[in-house]
Amino acid sequence: MAVYVVLLGPPGAGKGTQAEILSEKLGLAHVSSGDLFRENIKNQTELGKLAKGFMDRGDLVPDDVTIAMVRERLSRPDCAKGALLDGYPRTPAQAAALSQMLNNLGGKVDVVPYIRVDEEELVRRLSGRWTCRAEGHIYHEVFNPPKQTGVCDVDGSELYQREDDKRETVQRRIHVYLDQTAPLIDYYRKEGSLVEVDGAQNIEAVTQDLLAAMPAVAGGAKA
Ligand code: AP5
Ligand code: MG
């Protein structure tokens, strides 16, 4: 049966970083709503044009278009074994829509690792983040630097700083997270699927704790 993991956590907690590592280890598709929006912006689609304004301000893109985008992504063949969701759901309406979508696919939300990191550390992480232009691989100038400044280790493409990583926009994103997304912590805790992980450790230690926190899913993980 397909397996669905939802990575929950504030902006900069390390969801994308961990999803990249775990999707490889667990053989699950990495489904990042933020990456899907950025791909649409790059390709200048109608969805990209609509999403850009919300993203640049640090606000959430409206639920209806976000839900439709993720529904389409989860129906693609590479999600047949399941997916690691990163950045979705972000509102109670998105969470309800996800349950429905997975139900239709014969699955459910199996586990929700919540990566806990305090606000001061989030700002440090986002202000030093560099992202790869081609595929969104993630670096940090101090905590996880590329071998060559400004160049992606994986595909050699240029690294750039995200528009929404400006200080004021980061503050806005954290506010929006606390207001609209943090209630999902309790929602999934009540459902019995939440597991908490200390995100204020180095990247490798967080990966180990994530794998240890979801033994049923991580059973067959590659070393
Ligand atoms: P999105 O792209 O999802 O951004 P986010 O949730 O704000 O999260 P980030 O990507 O900023 O952080 P992350 O947790 O992935 O951290 P990362 O691994 O990069 O969304 C962007 C926008 O799109 C939203 O604001 C919204 O407008 C829109 N959107 C997206 N999804 C939506 C939805 N469902 N509904 C509506 N709107 C939506 O790590 C951060 C940095 O820290 C990196 O530099 C990394 O190298 C470093 N780092 C990671 N782990 C560690 C560690 N353990 N120690 C030290 N440094 C670390
Ligand atoms: Mg991310």
Side-chain angles (χ1 to χ4, degrees):
M1 209 165 90
V3 168
Y4 298 96
V5 179
V6 169
L7 286 180
L8 203 58
K15 301 183 296 297
T17 300
Q18 295 298 333
E20 211 176 301
I21 299 169
L22 292 176
S23 63
E24 162 74 22
K25 282 189 184 292
L26 304 176
L28 298 174
H30 175 193
V31 172
S32 157
S33 43
D35 285 354
L36 290 170
F37 284 130
R38 281 183 287 277
E39 208 175 289
N40 274 280
I41 293 174
K42 190 162 83 179
N43 296 332
Q44 299 183 8
T45 67
E46 284 308 312
L47 175 60
K49 284 176 200 159
L50 178 122
K52 189 172 186 323
F54 293 97
M55 290 175 77
D56 287 351
R57 285 194 300 276
D59 286 332
L60 295 185
V61 180
D63 280 337
D64 54 346
V65 290
T66 304
I67 289 167
M69 175 181 77
V70 172
R71 182 183 291 117
E72 188 280 325
R73 179 67 187 86
L74 287 173
S75 73
R76 291 193 216 160
D78 67 320
C79 293
K81 287 190 185 153
L84 203 64
L85 289 134
D86 153 17
Y88 181 96
R90 260 176 152 94
T91 64
Q94 292 183 17
L98 179 64
S99 293
Q100 190 64 52
M101 277 178 227
L102 298 186
N103 193 33
N104 291 342
L105 292 167
K108 62 175 172 39
V109 172
D110 290 284
V111 61
V112 182
Y114 161 45
I115 307 178
R116 223 178 332 104
V117 176
D118 71 38
E119 191 166 332
E120 211 176 304
E121 175 69 9
L122 297 175
V123 175
R124 241 193 318 271
R125 289 187 185 181
L126 293 175
S127 59
R129 170 165 61 187
W130 290 83
T131 304
C132 131
R133 190 74 78 186
E135 302 234 353
H137 299 115
I138 305 161
Y139 299 87
H140 189 282
E141 55 197 30
V142 179
F143 306 133
N144 183 26
K147 292 193 178 78
Q148 192 185 336
T149 307
V151 181
C152 177
D153 292 352
V154 183
D155 54 36
S157 80
E158 177 204 17
L159 301 181
Y160 76 102
Q161 290 199 287
R162 272 170 48 177
E163 188 64 32
D164 60 348
D165 280 347
K166 288 192 203 116
R167 184 167 281 271
E168 319 78 74
T169 318
V170 165
Q171 295 301 347
R172 172 76 194 151
R173 284 162 60 206
I174 292 173
H175 173 82
V176 168
Y177 165 81
L178 292 173
D179 187 42
Q180 302 195 51
T181 307
L184 295 182
I185 298 168
D186 259 351
Y187 172 93
Y188 284 117
R189 188 179 283 129
K190 284 189 186 121
E191 274 204 342
S193 43
L194 195 87
V195 292
E196 284 193 45
V197 168
D198 176 12
Q201 315 174 74
N202 66 41
I203 293 172
E204 218 181 293
V206 177
T207 305
Q208 289 315 316
D209 281 6
L210 282 166
L211 290 169
M214 42 178 179
V217 171
K222 289 186 221 159

